Amino acid sequence: MASRFLILCALPLFFVLAASIQEKVFDVRNYGAYGDGKRYNGLAFTKAWNDACQWSSGRSTVYIAPGVFYLRQVTFTGPCKNAITFMVKGTLLAPPNPNFINQDEWILFQYVDSLTVTGGGLLDGQGSFSWPLNDCNKNSNCRALAMNIGFAFVTHSRIDGLRSINSKMGHFNLYGVNDFNITGVTITAPGNSPNTDGIKIGRSSNMHIHDVTIGTGDDCIAILDGTTNLDISHVRCGPGHGISVGSLGRYKDEKNVQGLTVRDSVFIGTTDGLRIKTWAKSISEISVSNFLYENIQMINVGNPIIIDQQYCPNGQCDSSGKYASHVQIKNVKYNQIWGTSTSKEALNMQCSRAFPCQDVELSNINLKYVGRDGLVTALCQNVGGSIRGKIVPGNCQI
């Protein structure tokens, strides 16, 4: 009887404690935000974030309801007291004029731990006004325009179900993140929109990108220096420039790239498929190592498999061929890559003569040329490694 009494007395205390650690919702409308697509909402969003970030009694959620919320630029800074969710149900609308954004990302999260960005909402960068101003294809010192959303020094976090369209430059920018997952996102921009990379990653580690659809005017996923332990799977890529590592080697303080897996994905109508590019005129001696590309379908892809260590855009190298990349590529495996190529050279590996590629393994490759004669070829230079199983095109000597 006494023990039963103690249990009954303890129950109210349990519910009190449970209630005290409940998730609290911070609705931006309660801070003066309007979802009319016209009025500026930056101050309301910042106030809602600051209160949610400092909530110490449990998880907090910043809630953006259905509607169109106009934002010029906004930065959400941690650290926060507890795990925090940024729930986007509506549309966040950027200014069409790029001069209204004076930071690298239109929306930036920085120094946050245990962040979740979710809700199925839309980021609209309204980039069409800015694209004609972009001359990066001929000007190496071109003006940088804002990316849609950035994450800097964010850990143990994830993006789930977000949509991003028409960025001024890139869409998602991740720098210095660790233990970060991206799932269920859709990223869209016209195929002729310049430099609208889908997901750009640098100096980051232990990331997973899964079940994403990306079609833009540049790389679906761009992997820059210092990235380690990155797992990519179930990507639908196209239009765009494929999944690219690099360019690497241009700057002297760059870091190694290692531990990349790309698997179970499809490329549709992209200019490139699986690409590694390093500057011919490189000044840093770094390595690219421990890569696995597996179970990839190519549908009318320009260059399904390409290693380009002669990369030197905008005429920055002369035609003498005297430059040789100092980036070492090693232990890269291609397994079960199949489909169609719109170029005859479906397999193109031009490695550095100063630092030849090492331990490149090709296995079960079947790529066909969609041209009239159907003759598919390979170009392989300065490549060391091995071949296993059937390889088409089969004239790559490594």
Side-chain angles (χ1 to χ4, degrees), residues 17 34 64 92 123 185 188 192 223 232 237 248 258 292 299 318 335:
L17 291 173
Y34 293 91
I64 297 95
L92 305 185
L123 309 180
V185 305
T188 307
N192 62 353
I223 301 154
I232 299 170
C237 173
L248 300 173
Q258 60 185 21
L292 172 63
I299 301 175
D318 57 41
N335 181 40

Side-chain angles (χ1 to χ4, degrees), residues 184-205:
V185 305
T186 301
I187 298 173
T188 307
N192 62 353
S193 57
N195 301 109
T196 51
D197 296 286
I199 301 173
K200 181 174 283 189
I201 306 163
R203 302 287 175 102
S204 298
S205 58

Side-chain angles (χ1 to χ4, degrees), residues 4 54 84 95 105 142 164 176 183 185 218 234 257 264 267 283 285 301 321 329 395:
R4 182 182 176 187
Q54 295 306 309
I84 186 168
E105 296 90 6
C142 61
S164 177
T183 58
V185 305
D218 210 315
H234 297 92
V257 179
D264 305 328
F267 296 74
I283 60 174
E285 295 187 4
V301 172
I329 297 174
N395 57 320

Side-chain angles (χ1 to χ4, degrees), residues 50-374:
N50 289 340
D51 283 356
C53 188
Q54 295 306 309
W55 177 252
S56 59
S57 299
R59 189 179 188 99
S60 60
T61 294
V62 177
Y63 180 70
I64 297 95
V68 180
F69 294 85
Y70 174 65
L71 292 171
R72 286 194 175 184
Q73 68 181 46
V74 64
T75 297
F76 302 114
T77 302
C80 297
K81 295 290 181 68
N82 279 299
I84 186 168
T85 296
F86 195 80
M87 176 77 69
V88 184
K89 291 294 185 180
T91 295
L92 305 185
L93 188 67
N97 189 339
N99 295 322
F100 288 168
I101 304 175
N102 58 11
Q103 59 188 35
D104 291 339
E105 296 90 6
W106 164 40
I107 300 168
L108 173 63
F109 294 87
Q110 60 182 4
Y111 306 108
V112 186
D113 183 67
S114 300
L115 167 69
T116 298
V117 179
T118 187
L122 177 68
L123 309 180
D124 185 351
Q126 297 206 88
S128 60
F129 180 87
S130 302
W131 297 332
L133 306 177
N134 188 320
D135 63 349
C136 294
N137 61 335
K138 56 185 177 183
N139 178 10
S140 60
N141 296 311
C142 61
R143 174 186 177 184
L145 301 174
M147 301 183 73
N148 267 7
I149 189 167
F151 299 84
F153 311 104
V154 174
T155 58
H156 312 301
S157 298
R158 65 189 179 96
I159 308 170
D160 180 29
L162 201 63
R163 295 174 293 145
S164 177
I165 64 171
N166 298 335
S167 62
K168 290 175 174 58
M169 197 162 252
H171 287 260
F172 290 15
N173 191 32
L174 299 106
Y175 184 86
V177 308
N178 178 53
D179 187 18
F180 198 105
N181 294 341
I182 301 175
T183 58
V185 305
T186 301
I187 298 173
T188 307
N192 62 353
S193 57
N195 301 109
T196 51
D197 296 286
I199 301 173
K200 181 174 283 189
I201 306 163
R203 302 287 175 102
S204 298
S205 58
N206 305 313
M207 287 187 61
H208 297 270
I209 300 174
H210 172 76
D211 189 25
V212 299
T213 300
I214 305 173
T216 70
D218 210 315
D219 297 331
C220 290
I221 301 174
I223 301 154
L224 305 181
D225 80 286
T227 300
T228 61
N229 298 328
L230 171 60
D231 181 77
I232 299 170
S233 65
H234 297 92
V235 175
R236 293 165 294 280
C237 173
H241 297 176
I243 294 179
S244 294
V245 176
S247 58
L248 300 173
R250 186 180 185 183
Y251 304 104
K252 64 180 181 179
D253 62 344
E254 292 184 16
K255 305 295 184 182
N256 296 338
V257 179
Q258 60 185 21
L260 168 67
T261 299
V262 181
R263 54 191 169 86
D264 305 328
S265 297
V266 59
F267 296 74
I268 305 171
T270 54
T271 59
D272 301 293
L274 307 170
R275 177 170 62 163
I276 302 173
K277 58 180 179 177
T278 74
W279 280 75
K281 201 175 180 180
S282 62
I283 60 174
S284 62
E285 295 187 4
I286 61 172
S287 67
V288 173
S289 62
N290 299 325
F291 282 18
L292 172 63
Y293 299 105
E294 187 169 54
N295 193 30
I296 308 292
Q297 182 181 12
M298 306 287 180
I299 301 175
N300 295 338
V301 172
N303 300 288
I305 298 175
I306 180 168
I307 295 177
D308 179 10
Q309 295 206 261
Q310 309 296 325
Y311 184 71
C312 200
N314 306 323
Q316 296 181 59
C317 300
D318 57 41
S319 58
S320 65
K322 65 182 179 181
Y323 300 108
S325 178
H326 289 188
V327 177
Q328 177 69 71
I329 297 174
K330 58 186 178 181
N331 192 16
V332 179
K333 298 180 180 180
Y334 300 87
N335 181 40
Q336 290 184 284
I337 316 295
W338 82 97
T340 54
S341 170
T342 59
S343 63
K344 283 194 172 185
E345 289 179 351
L347 177 58
N348 188 337
M349 296 182 174
Q350 299 186 59
C351 294
S352 169
R353 67 176 184 275
F355 291 83
C357 295
Q358 302 174 1
D359 299 321
V360 175
E361 181 180 299
L362 301 175
S363 61
N364 303 308
I365 310 295
N366 188 8
L367 296 169
K368 298 178 180 179
Y369 174 50
V370 296
R372 287 186 177 182
D373 59 20

